[in-house]
Amino acid sequence: MSIDQLHATGAAPFSDTASSTVAASMRPSEVTARIALSLITEPGDRDIADLVESDGGEDLLRRILDSEDEHTARARRFARARLADRPVETLVDDALRRAEACGARVLTPHDPQWPVEVADLAELYDEADLLTAPPLCLWVRGEASIAELTRRSVSIVGARECSPYGHHVATEFGYDLAQSGWTVVSGGAFGIDAAAHRGALAGGGPTIAVLACGIDRAYPAGHSSLFDEISVNGLVVSEWPPGSAPQRHRFLVRNRVIAALGQGVVVVEAALRSGARHTARRASELERPVMVVPGPINSRVSVGVHQLARSPGGARIVTRAAEIVEDLGRLGTDLAPPLIGATRPHDTLRPVEARVLDAVPAAEAGSIAMIAAQAGVRPSEAAKALEGLARRGFVVGTDEGFTIAARPETHARRADQRGAAE
């Protein structure tokens, strides 16, 4: 089948092979061209994205494959290496077959389920990294709508070799956010990522795993069952076509999508040099709130977190999921309940009573006049305060005056001591 024949089949590659809905506003041939371009170029390529935006995917694909246009020379070299003398339609057909085999579908920007948040990546510019553009398409495994899931979403990232503390926090955050109706986005890696995903699943909520390899590959392999569960209760997503290997540089490219899909990013633990800090940087560039979880000052997996907090315009510290929701949710509505310390009996005292109680001697009884002088109040005020304090068990009145009442546990301790002495 030629590329023109593939175009002419309309939505067949999707309705029969990958089960994707193609919006009427986008021609099937344009959809096919985007898929082909994702196969013969690397995701995030700024030059390719700009040319697709200006000229359309169909025209760009023809220029890469059939012309010697100098503006597409770099893409042509890359494409020829990928094609290895095979027709491009063979690659497209193979990718769609692989997607069908693992129950995945492909989305493009004109699909109703496309997440509009990734469009913000068009604003990223990094002279040292040209792979920052929005995805041409996304390969998605799972029945949920990614557009729906990302309306209230939080990206949680952190160290692969996390501490038990970090694992606990990420799990708890994932669980509590899911219980609050938020989607947890992460990268499916060992450590913090997996803990956040599993916490969300345990909380009965959806979660999104963004991969740095083909949608048909479980990486890490030990997370195969986790990805299966995520695809049932959320989505597994990749911008690399099926069959793509998890190369090192792809994890950094992938991080920009994790940053874009969340309304904000939470870094639980991160070393000084880490992918989690890179994701936080991308989030900051996208003007997404960056939040961090403080850790022990001597923990190597918290150094990066603490530096994020100390950086200019530093990240905001969060210690519970309710604070994340407050920072990202509806203004004045999604407020975290205030933290209140343990109450003590002394908290019920009026200011004058507290001053008088401080002046009551603990060892020997003191007169009302002496207590009033020590407290700096009139004797009548001291007498009234002492009456109330005695009634509530704070002081004890004797013929000589008033003294501090022993606590019940003090009485018990003294009784034990007397018993031991006898």
Side-chain angles (χ1 to χ4, degrees), residues 271-345:
L272 204 53
R273 290 174 57 89
S274 64
R277 288 195 70 193
H278 183 266
T279 304
R281 188 181 118 206
R282 290 302 186 212
S284 180
E285 292 167 348
L286 293 169
E287 298 186 348
R288 305 283 201 272
V290 176
M291 292 155 278
V292 296
V293 177
I297 61 173
N298 58 351
S299 170
R300 65 178 182 82
V301 289
S302 289
V303 175
V305 167
H306 299 154
Q307 289 304 304
L308 283 171
R310 282 182 53 80
S311 60
R316 188 171 170 88
I317 289 175
V318 290
T319 60
R320 51 193 174 131
E323 293 170 351
I324 300 171
V325 173
E326 179 177 278
D327 284 359
L328 301 182
R330 294 162 294 181
L331 188 64
T333 301
D334 293 323
L335 299 177
L339 293 174
I340 301 173
T343 59
R344 301 176 303 163

Side-chain angles (χ1 to χ4, degrees), residues 61-355:
L61 182 61
R62 293 186 188 282
R63 287 164 61 189
I64 291 174
L65 297 178
D66 303 329
S67 76
E68 295 299 324
D69 182 358
E70 63 179 13
H71 296 295
T72 59
R74 185 174 64 85
R76 189 174 304 110
R77 289 193 299 272
F78 197 92
R80 285 172 179 169
R82 286 268 178 103
L83 290 168
D85 296 326
R86 292 170 295 173
V88 69
E89 54 268 21
T90 299
L91 266 68
V92 173
D93 189 56
D94 181 58
L96 292 172
R97 275 191 229 279
R98 284 174 176 263
E100 180 186 22
C102 70
R105 65 193 191 277
V106 64
L107 304 178
T108 59
H110 287 70
D111 193 294
Q113 294 189 17
W114 184 259
V116 296
E117 293 84 2
V118 296
D120 294 344
L121 292 169
E123 303 302 318
L124 286 186
Y125 182 75
D126 189 336
E127 291 184 354
D129 185 0
L130 296 177
L131 301 179
T132 58
L136 294 174
C137 61
L138 289 172
W139 302 85
V140 179
R141 198 176 121 193
E143 296 300 321
S145 165
I146 189 170
E148 291 292 330
L149 295 189
T150 53
R151 286 180 182 173
R152 281 167 62 89
S153 56
V154 181
S155 298
I156 299 180
V157 295
R160 286 176 171 81
E161 297 180 7
C162 66
S163 70
Y165 160 77
H167 188 277
H168 172 81
V169 169
T171 303
E172 188 175 72
F173 278 9
Y175 181 90
D176 290 344
L177 286 165
Q179 291 272 294
S180 300
W182 287 73
T183 299
V184 172
V185 181
S186 198
F190 288 127
I192 297 301
D193 290 14
H197 287 309
R198 290 194 171 102
L201 293 171
T207 183
I208 299 174
V210 185
L211 306 185
C213 59
I215 198 75
D216 57 339
R217 298 187 62 157
Y219 186 86
H223 282 172
S224 178
S225 61
L226 174 60
F227 294 146
D228 288 342
E229 189 176 356
I230 290 173
S231 69
V232 173
N233 298 280
L235 294 171
V236 180
V237 177
S238 178
E239 56 185 321
W240 281 271
S244 299
Q247 297 173 1
R248 183 183 295 272
H249 79 278
R250 289 176 172 169
F251 289 93
L252 293 179
V253 177
R254 178 275 311 268
N255 289 347
R256 81 195 195 289
V257 176
I258 294 177
L261 289 180
Q263 305 303 311
V265 169
V266 179
V267 184
V268 177
E269 287 185 324
L272 204 53
R273 290 174 57 89
S274 64
R277 288 195 70 193
H278 183 266
T279 304
R281 188 181 118 206
R282 290 302 186 212
S284 180
E285 292 167 348
L286 293 169
E287 298 186 348
R288 305 283 201 272
V290 176
M291 292 155 278
V292 296
V293 177
I297 61 173
N298 58 351
S299 170
R300 65 178 182 82
V301 289
S302 289
V303 175
V305 167
H306 299 154
Q307 289 304 304
L308 283 171
R310 282 182 53 80
S311 60
R316 188 171 170 88
I317 289 175
V318 290
T319 60
R320 51 193 174 131
E323 293 170 351
I324 300 171
V325 173
E326 179 177 278
D327 284 359
L328 301 182
R330 294 162 294 181
L331 188 64
T333 301
D334 293 323
L335 299 177
L339 293 174
I340 301 173
T343 59
R344 301 176 303 163
H346 288 64
D347 296 336
T348 64
L349 299 179
R350 293 181 291 111
V352 170
E353 291 177 324
R355 288 170 61 185

